[in-house]
Amino acid sequence: MTSHKTTQTMKPATAAKKLGVYLEATPAEFREGPVSRDELNALQADPPEWLRELRRNGPHPRPVIAARLEISIAGLARGGITDPLTTPQIEALKQECPDWLRHERATHTETRKEAARIKARNEERAARTER
């Protein structure tokens, strides 16, 4: 018996998500067909100019915008940000720092602190039960 190795592929939307770019801003040839695992790995290892440009200047998808603003994706929605933003737009928001952004940053910080506290507590409990 010989084993046939099939090429693993994914939808362009999945590949764009893994690359951290906004799908609609990618070149047509990227959006038109499936992306193989090998192609994705090659894009990650040696990004072409279009990918470097998208990562640098956008437009960026919501997870990237949220990370750059240091808030959650839900916080973006509460702040009324539903469309992709470019890097200059994100920087302008950071400079302006509206009330909703300050509030969302504080909320995000508290949420992360609480998650870290719970993780530490659970690790401590697990260590005690192993004894």
Side-chain angles (χ1 to χ4, degrees):
M1 262 195 230
T2 59
S3 64
H4 296 286
K5 190 172 183 179
T6 59
T7 303
Q8 183 182 14
T9 62
M10 62 193 83
K11 294 178 183 176
T14 304
K17 187 174 185 179
K18 290 178 180 285
L19 292 169
V21 296
Y22 184 58
L23 178 63
E24 283 73 23
T26 61
E29 60 268 9
F30 181 84
R31 293 189 306 260
E32 288 171 355
V35 179
S36 73
R37 174 64 64 185
D38 291 337
E39 290 169 331
L40 179 69
N41 290 339
L43 287 170
Q44 288 173 326
D46 186 24
E49 183 56 36
W50 66 263
L51 181 54
R52 288 194 300 272
E53 181 65 23
L54 275 179
R55 287 177 171 169
R56 188 173 32 249
N57 295 317
H60 301 289
R62 288 178 303 160
V64 174
I65 298 168
R68 289 187 178 193
L69 291 174
E70 301 173 22
I71 63 175
S72 67
I73 295 173
L76 275 179
R78 287 190 293 268
I81 307 294
T82 56
D83 295 329
L85 298 178
T86 62
T87 299
Q89 291 171 317
I90 294 169
E91 292 303 317
L93 255 178
K94 284 175 154 181
Q95 292 297 318
E96 182 183 320
C97 202
D99 289 339
W100 70 266
L101 181 56
R102 277 194 295 279
H103 179 269
E104 291 300 334
R105 281 181 171 171
T107 301
H108 191 62
T109 300
E110 287 303 314
T111 302
R112 291 178 69 183
K113 283 181 185 175
E114 181 64 9
R117 184 191 69 77
I118 290 169
K119 181 180 177 186
R121 181 198 67 194
N122 290 344
E123 288 172 352
E124 184 181 309
R125 285 180 180 172
R128 272 190 270 150
T129 59
E130 289 176 0
R131 293 183 203 162

